[in-house]
Amino acid sequence: MADFLLEIGLEEVPARMIAGAQAELLRRTLALLEREQLEGVDAVSYSTPRRLAVLVRGVREQQADITEEVTGPAVKIAFKDGVATPAAEAFARKSGVAVADLRTITTPKGEYLAATSVKKGRSAAEVLASELPKEIAGIYWAKNMYWRPGKPERFVRPVLWIVCLLGDAVVPLTFAGKTAGRASYGHRVLSSGEPFEIVAPESYLAQLEGEYVIADVEARRQKIRKALDHVTRAVEAARWREDEELVDSVTHLTEWPAVLLGGFEPAYLELPEEVLVTVMRDHQKYFAVEDAQGKLAPHFLAVLNIALDETNEPIIKQGNERVLRARFNDARFFWEFDQRTPLTERVKLLENVTFQKDLGSYATKSERVRSLAAQLAKIASSRGAAVDASAVDEAATLAKTDLTTELVKEFTELQGVIGGLYAKAQGASATVADAIYDQYLPASAKDSIPRSAEGALLGLADRIDTISGMFALGMEPTGSKDPFALRRAANSVVRILAESGLPLTLADVLGAAQSKPEVAAKLQAFFAERIEFYLREGRGQAYDVVKAVVAAGSEDLRDAVARAEAVTAVRGGEDFIAVSAAFKRMKNILDQAQAKGESIPASVNTSLLSDDSEKALESTGGRVAGDVEALRAKRQYREALTQVASLRPVVNEFFERVMVMAPEADIRANRLALLARTVADFSRIADFSEIVAQG
Amino acid sequence: MPHVENKKKALTFQELLFTLQRFWAEHGCVLQQPYDLEVGAGTMSPDTFLRVLGPKPISIAYAQPSRRPADGRYGENPNRLFRHTQLQVILKPPPERVQELYLESLVAIGIDLKEHDIKFEEDNWEWPVGGAWGVGWQVMLDGQEITQFTYFQQCGGMDLDPISGEITYGLERIAQFLQDLDSIYDIVWSRDPMTGTELTYGDVRLHEEQQFSAYSFDYADVDKLWEHLRLYEAECLLLLERAKTVLTEENDDALAVKRFPVMGAYELALKCSHTFNLLDARGAISVTERVGVMARIRTLIVGVAKIYAEQQRLTSLVAA
């Protein structure tokens, strides 16, 4: 057994792609070793912006030989007069044995030649050299490139070197014109820049560290976190603003990270925090620093890819501070410049901003959104929700005006937020300003929904306008293609309906959009998928529970969520499992009967019921159905489902004693009617026949 | 805040340009003069856009004043310019370890790599109007983007083989960085070696920024610009049409093939592109129109790239 190391040296790989590629290289290497029966004991993988590496300990150095019995041609063809024919020779050659070693076996079809073929196992080095390059070439990159003349291969960036060792010997594989050796490179600036030799796989990590490269991603991440903590201590009562995504990004941008504390003039704190943080985080990859109250402090933290000392620290600090100052100055200029034209005056400017070429400008979109929002506000108010309809209207009128501001042109990720801030600064009510501010929430599953009913209504109206408009143009998402992010928009509609507390259903929202019937049907199907997605991914409900609940209706999202949670709570109970199974059986019988063309009357004729058990199903079932319906109306789903589960003895008894498909036509029809009524009565919370027994 | 005194050793703007040009000349580049037509970026000069096409290797460097009318700020914004200067280096094909070579050029202009934080961050370049894209990085020096580094993959809608490496230095930003200044206009452009008298970037260029901002935002005559656009476009289309009959394998007049003015057609396309930028800065193009006009210019630029490649192919056939 020997340890195995592969390192691929690259020009800087995009930070966003590194983790995926590192995992894939490990997965592919291990799969190859297993497929080739060379599997090792354990494995680790490393990466930096300039390298991907895999280390597998205890790899088998040699495949086992494979012995196989093979049958050849019939003896009468293989030998003529005791002399081997070409057929016998070919078989011997193919099996890797001499003609003299061929045997004869008797089969029902006659006498045949046989041989014991031994396939020699290959050495691990041989297998890896020939197979591993294909695995490297197979790594998925979101964007890759050609670089060598003749375009022999594509990869994320040019390959600079490859190290491949099995034990202390080089495996001379070749990929992208580079033959593997043991020479690696250290940090671009801190190391000498000259190649150095990796002695053996086991010393890889330590040798790289000697060349100012921390190849272990977790170790680098921890070093950064510790340094952030440490450096922040220089500012009294401050802490750096936690940002997992940013930590991840800078981890993949550095080989030898250090953290620098910089500052900016407190005067900039007069700018909105959202703008300052966006500049620092998104444009400069700086961490924000906040005081004990969570208020932004005039400092930032930059993660560098260099070791800091007394000479370079002031220089690097000064450079970063100047860049940030220029960015903040720009932002301040835009902030002040934009204020000269208030949002109310920008409404007419929206006529020049196209929303979509067939759907008109943002001015016409805003008019549609106003009307949609007003309708929804009216419905919600009529059902008792406290909604400030005039605030909704004002917010919808101004919602898109920030698209004409310089600040949004500069920081597009802040659209909506900027509008809300300007509205507030220009004297709009907090309700209006917050609704504008929150209009794009939730933009992702991690985001919260708008804080107010007014913001939620604006968000619903805006999105349903976009979605129904695009569907009307035939631009609905297909397969993996969703260029207008309509699925995400629909997910947000579903979440707002389920979580905002607004008394609105999907039917209200889709109804307001007034789509043509064929478009409405497509929207219905599209949203049905999004609802199931939400219940599964957003609510963690099991697949079968979601199916069961949606089958009983999902127009009212809040109600669907409550039903799903109730079903999940009771589904493990024995009675419930048994009743679910019984419902499945009833449904099957009904389906088959329908398929055969049996008549199923709309009501049950009690005089035709003969067996006690069917009388019991009719009477107890009817009574329980009444109780369930009463509980359902009060949305006491847990209690209702307990009632459903109490049917277990009655349905069991029924199926034990009664044959539904009786020979007499009238009795048969009556029993089918009883089943149909039972299924209908009890399927208003969920279609229990969808529930899969958990084993 | 403590201030680091490194201004004294910093190069003037013109020394920065000399030094980089000398560096690349010493590494085998032909030094070309700036292209004498309005372009939005060094990439649009034919020395990049056309030379990256086809199989012929080239190493070339040139400074390129680049006009972006919408970025003008009447000379009042310390970090934005109507016209800035790029140093463009095209290496076709790119040599091995081209990043190291680039870093050496930074050392040449006085940047001690151990005293700074340098990162190559993903930044892919795309010019849809030219049917061109590439992958690469923005080079960050202490948080400042100082260079765009691109491996061209396609140009004029055609796959490139060999590909080219493109290094674009933002000279104002680098000078501002080296001289440690908050305003571009304070950059020392030149220093008289006899008297020590300094001229700043503002002394040399401020009036241009003021006047061209005023021209593109306030004075440019929209109707006439549309008319210019139409005329340049018509002539370019005419040349593209004539290329169909001249640039063919059947044409045995090798001289006519060689002399066909593909470069002239390209200049007309560039004129359209600049006129479009002026109209855009003037606020004369609605977003709806924008898509359409860009498609028109794309037809010209991609069309020229195609006939350029065809002309190269035909002339190399004759040579062979």
Side-chain angles (χ1 to χ4, degrees):
Chain A
M1 293 205 299
D3 295 345
F4 170 73
L5 172 73
L6 170 71
E7 181 194 56
I8 307 168
L10 295 156
E11 296 184 3
E12 275 79 351
V13 179
R16 65 190 168 106
M17 303 178 193
I18 295 178
Q22 179 187 338
E24 187 177 348
L25 180 62
L26 175 65
R27 198 164 60 240
R28 283 176 173 276
T29 306
L30 294 181
L32 169 66
L33 290 172
E34 198 184 322
R35 197 161 64 235
E36 297 290 341
Q37 290 163 344
L38 295 166
E39 62 275 17
V41 177
D42 61 31
V44 276
S45 64
Y46 306 115
S47 72
T48 75
R50 301 182 69 211
R51 68 202 79 226
L52 297 174
V54 170
L55 174 66
V56 190
R57 296 193 185 85
V59 170
R60 281 198 215 153
E61 287 170 89
Q62 181 72 39
Q63 289 175 332
D65 296 344
I66 296 169
T67 308
E68 207 180 0
E69 294 299 323
V70 281
T71 306
V75 171
K76 60 185 178 198
I77 296 166
F79 286 95
K80 285 276 183 277
D81 310 323
V83 180
T85 65
E89 282 162 9
F91 174 59
R93 211 166 35 245
K94 199 177 121 207
S95 312
V97 300
V99 173
D101 293 330
L102 294 173
R103 288 175 288 114
T104 303
I105 54 166
T106 308
T107 76
K109 287 194 260 170
E111 295 214 308
Y112 280 79
L113 284 188
T116 305
S117 141
V118 177
K119 206 174 136 203
K120 291 297 277 180
R122 292 194 293 166
S123 73
E126 196 185 333
V127 171
L128 288 164
S130 77
E131 302 303 316
L132 202 46
K134 295 174 205 161
E135 299 300 326
I136 299 171
I139 293 174
Y140 167 80
W141 300 103
K143 191 154 201 158
N144 54 22
M145 63 174 283
Y146 292 111
W147 69 97
R148 295 203 293 154
K151 306 200 295 182
E153 70 275 301
R154 298 178 86 166
F155 211 60
V156 63
R157 288 290 184 278
V159 176
L160 293 176
W161 73 86
I162 300 174
V163 173
C164 192
L165 299 175
L166 188 62
D168 48 18
V170 167
V171 178
L173 63 82
T174 299
F175 175 71
K178 298 287 173 195
T179 299
R182 57 173 74 245
S184 181
Y185 289 81
H187 187 279
R188 237 185 226 299
V189 175
L190 294 172
S191 81
S192 68
E194 296 300 315
F196 65 97
E197 298 204 329
I198 304 289
V199 179
E202 211 42 55
S203 65
Y204 175 69
L205 215 48
Q207 281 191 275
L208 276 186
E209 184 140 5
E211 301 289 334
Y212 302 93
V213 173
I214 302 173
D216 184 320
V217 177
E218 269 325 298
R220 221 159 56 237
R221 195 190 310 274
Q222 287 319 311
K223 188 183 175 193
I224 290 170
R225 284 190 165 277
K226 270 193 187 150
L228 286 167
D229 289 341
H230 177 78
V231 171
T232 309
R233 270 184 226 132
V235 186
E236 205 182 327
R239 60 177 174 236
W240 56 279
R241 197 166 279 186
E242 174 58 48
D243 190 335
E244 187 64 49
E245 233 174 275
L246 188 55
V247 170
D248 201 54
S249 168
V250 294
T251 301
H252 293 303
L253 278 170
T254 51
E255 297 203 298
W256 191 258
V259 173
L260 173 103
L261 174 71
F264 55 85
E265 284 165 46
Y268 290 114
L269 292 172
E270 287 162 18
L271 284 170
E273 183 173 314
E274 292 86 343
V275 173
L276 298 175
V277 171
T278 299
V279 170
M280 288 193 277
R281 177 187 199 279
D282 297 354
H283 295 228
Q284 294 299 130
K285 299 196 172 71
Y286 296 158
F287 290 85
V289 176
E290 58 188 24
D291 64 18
Q293 285 75 48
K295 252 189 74 202
L296 216 55
H299 299 279
F300 66 89
L301 297 159
V303 178
L304 316 174
N305 186 32
I306 192 92
L308 282 175
D309 57 38
E310 284 170 8
T311 323
N312 68 12
E313 179 159 0
I315 299 172
I316 298 174
K317 181 172 143 103
Q318 189 175 311
N320 280 283
E321 285 177 347
R322 186 183 46 242
V323 176
L324 189 61
R325 192 158 59 237
R327 291 248 178 210
F328 280 174
N329 267 336
D330 264 3
R332 177 153 66 191
F333 172 80
F334 292 142
W335 174 257
E336 285 163 5
F337 180 83
D338 287 342
Q339 301 275 16
R340 289 188 221 157
T341 313
L343 297 186
T344 45
E345 284 176 34
R346 291 178 183 271
V347 174
K348 64 177 185 298
L349 300 180
L350 288 177
E351 286 165 17
N352 298 323
V353 186
T354 304
F355 166 56
Q356 201 282 335
K357 74 174 165 50
D358 298 311
L359 298 174
S361 69
Y362 269 100
T364 55
K365 179 180 177 51
S366 296
E367 284 307 309
R368 291 194 304 267
V369 171
R370 273 180 72 186
S371 145
L372 285 166
Q375 291 178 59
L376 295 176
K378 201 170 153 197
I379 299 172
S381 299
S382 73
R383 292 179 191 153
V387 174
D388 180 344
S390 74
V392 171
D393 190 56
E394 193 182 340
T397 307
L398 300 177
K400 303 299 175 188
T401 53
D402 69 352
L403 294 175
T404 67
T405 65
E406 296 300 315
L407 206 52
V408 168
K409 285 180 199 162
E410 189 74 7
F411 304 108
T412 48
E413 60 271 55
L414 286 179
Q415 56 178 301
V417 169
I418 301 280
L421 293 169
Y422 280 141
K424 191 172 259 169
Q426 291 161 13
S429 71
T431 314
V432 171
D434 290 349
I436 296 172
Y437 189 103
D438 290 351
Q439 62 180 305
Y440 298 105
L441 290 178
S444 73
K446 283 182 293 178
D447 283 346
S448 49
I449 60 165
R451 290 164 287 176
S452 65
E454 291 77 10
L457 287 167
L458 176 57
L460 286 174
D462 181 22
R463 291 183 180 93
I464 203 63
D465 173 68
T466 302
I467 297 170
S468 61
M470 290 297 190
F471 269 66
L473 295 175
M475 295 199 197
E476 61 256 30
T478 49
S480 63
K481 288 207 182 77
D482 184 12
F484 307 104
L486 299 181
R487 288 198 186 100
R488 197 173 67 192
N491 289 343
S492 302
V493 168
V494 170
R495 254 192 82 191
I496 293 173
L497 287 174
E499 298 173 19
S500 68
L502 280 172
L504 291 175
T505 67
L506 182 61
D508 298 327
V509 175
L510 290 179
Q514 292 185 326
S515 299
K516 288 189 187 138
E518 64 272 21
V519 175
K522 278 187 183 177
L523 285 169
Q524 198 73 44
F526 173 64
F527 271 97
E529 266 178 39
R530 299 340 295 162
I531 288 169
E532 291 190 19
F533 175 81
Y534 170 72
L535 291 171
R536 283 199 313 271
E537 307 296 325
R539 289 288 173 157
Q541 297 294 339
Y543 188 81
D544 57 341
V545 171
V546 172
K547 283 273 174 218
V549 166
V550 168
S554 59
E555 283 296 321
D556 184 337
L557 258 304
R558 290 186 300 162
D559 187 64
V561 170
R563 285 183 283 128
E565 284 170 352
V567 172
T568 297
V570 303
R571 69 174 302 180
E574 273 180 36
D575 289 347
F576 188 78
I577 292 168
V579 170
S580 296
F583 273 102
K584 195 164 296 167
R585 194 164 163 189
M586 290 182 214
K587 258 205 141 166
N588 284 341
I589 293 170
L590 287 166
D591 285 349
Q592 282 165 16
Q594 218 143 28
K596 277 193 223 153
E598 295 280 348
S599 78
I600 305 175
S603 60
V604 180
N605 180 351
T606 46
S607 65
L608 282 174
L609 300 171
S610 54
D611 194 277
D612 282 350
S613 69
E614 59 180 330
K615 287 179 184 163
L617 181 58
E618 197 281 327
S619 62
T620 315
R623 182 172 47 73
V624 174
D627 294 347
V628 168
E629 194 50 30
L631 289 165
R632 190 179 77 88
K634 287 187 276 179
R635 301 199 176 194
Q636 292 176 330
Y637 296 125
R638 290 277 290 274
E639 294 76 359
L641 293 176
T642 311
Q643 287 294 316
V644 175
S646 75
L647 284 177
R648 181 185 182 183
V650 181
V651 293
N652 275 1
E653 187 78 0
F654 174 82
F655 278 122
E656 255 167 48
R657 301 185 45 146
V658 173
M659 188 176 66
V660 178
M661 302 308 274
E664 303 86 349
D666 55 344
I667 293 179
R668 189 164 72 228
N670 197 46
R671 285 177 179 165
L672 287 170
L674 176 58
L675 289 192
R677 192 191 84 180
T678 309
V679 168
D681 279 351
F682 292 101
S683 294
R684 288 186 196 143
I685 295 174
D687 177 353
F688 302 110
S689 68
E690 293 280 356
I691 300 294
V692 179
Q694 286 169 321
Chain B
M1 289 173 209
H3 233 59
V4 183
E5 278 306 319
N6 59 359
K7 290 186 200 180
K8 280 187 215 100
K9 60 183 175 187
L11 301 178
T12 63
F13 189 69
Q14 65 190 30
E15 284 167 346
L16 171 64
L17 181 55
F18 303 152
T19 311
L20 285 173
Q21 286 183 325
R22 174 166 294 277
F23 177 89
W24 286 106
E26 283 170 358
H27 285 90
C29 281
V30 174
L31 288 187
Q32 171 65 294
Q33 300 305 311
Y35 197 57
D36 58 340
L37 222 62
E38 310 93 333
V39 291
T43 307
M44 294 162 74
S45 156
D47 283 318
T48 293
F49 187 76
L50 296 180
R51 283 187 197 274
V52 299
L53 297 165
K56 211 166 148 191
I58 181 83
S59 292
I60 192 166
Y62 54 93
Q64 185 62 54
S66 301
R67 297 182 183 220
R68 298 190 180 162
D71 285 353
R73 292 290 183 274
Y74 300 90
E76 286 169 10
N77 182 307
N79 294 298
R80 279 177 202 243
L81 295 170
F82 154 79
R83 199 184 81 182
H84 67 288
T85 320
Q86 299 180 338
L87 182 78
Q88 175 86 350
V89 181
I90 292 293
L91 304 166
K92 176 189 179 185
E96 279 256 352
R97 306 205 170 271
V98 60
Q99 286 174 296
E100 272 73 8
L101 195 56
Y102 164 75
L103 291 174
E104 273 180 47
S105 76
L106 296 187
V107 174
I109 56 173
I111 295 174
D112 180 343
L113 300 181
K114 284 203 161 63
E115 289 185 355
H116 298 279
D117 174 43
I118 295 172
K119 297 194 189 94
F120 288 82
E121 295 183 6
E122 180 192 18
D123 194 21
N124 302 318
W125 169 82
E126 192 181 14
W127 184 35
V129 165
W133 65 273
V135 305
W137 308 275
Q138 48 180 347
V139 183
M140 307 296 288
L141 182 65
D142 299 346
Q144 172 75 67
E145 181 198 341
I146 55 164
T147 302
Q148 278 284 335
F149 199 123
T150 307
Y151 289 114
F152 271 45
Q153 299 287 300
Q154 266 205 345
C155 200
M158 293 173 280
D159 283 346
L160 301 180
D161 184 20
I163 64 143
S164 294
E166 178 201 55
I167 301 173
T168 305
Y169 298 82
L171 292 181
E172 284 84 358
R173 279 192 185 173
I174 295 175
Q176 204 184 348
F177 180 91
L178 292 174
Q179 299 182 17
D180 186 24
L181 298 168
D182 278 334
S183 169
I184 287 173
Y185 296 103
D186 294 335
I187 291 170
V188 177
W189 185 296
S190 67
R191 190 179 294 115
D192 186 323
M194 304 297 182
T195 63
T197 308
E198 292 178 345
L199 276 185
T200 65
Y201 195 91
D203 294 333
V204 179
R205 287 216 54 248
L206 180 61
H207 66 289
E208 290 177 17
E209 288 295 323
Q210 291 164 335
Q211 295 189 13
F212 278 111
S213 295
Y215 175 71
S216 34
F217 292 134
D218 311 319
Y219 284 83
D221 183 323
V222 171
D223 291 340
K224 294 225 169 45
L225 286 175
W226 280 117
E227 185 67 5
H228 291 322
L229 182 63
R230 197 183 60 73
L231 290 170
Y232 289 132
E233 180 189 30
E235 192 180 354
C236 185
L237 285 172
L238 215 61
L239 285 172
L240 289 175
E241 196 54 37
R242 288 183 65 180
K244 285 184 192 161
T245 52
V246 179
L247 300 178
T248 65
E249 279 183 27
E250 290 72 43
N251 186 351
D252 45 20
D253 184 349
L255 200 59
V257 169
K258 202 181 288 182
R259 284 183 177 173
F260 186 82
V262 173
M263 304 282 294
Y266 187 59
E267 291 204 344
L268 291 163
L270 286 181
K271 280 285 188 192
C272 288
S273 172
H274 179 63
T275 310
F276 169 83
N277 289 342
L278 280 172
L279 282 164
D280 199 25
R282 197 78 174 80
I285 301 180
S286 73
V287 182
T288 331
E289 281 174 314
R290 207 185 156 79
V291 181
V293 184
M294 280 172 76
R296 278 162 62 190
I297 300 175
R298 187 189 148 95
T299 303
L300 306 181
I301 293 189
V302 171
V304 172
K306 294 235 153 56
I307 62 168
Y308 176 85
E310 182 62 6
Q311 189 179 42
Q312 294 292 303
R313 192 181 69 84
L314 293 173
T315 46
S316 72
L317 282 183
V318 172

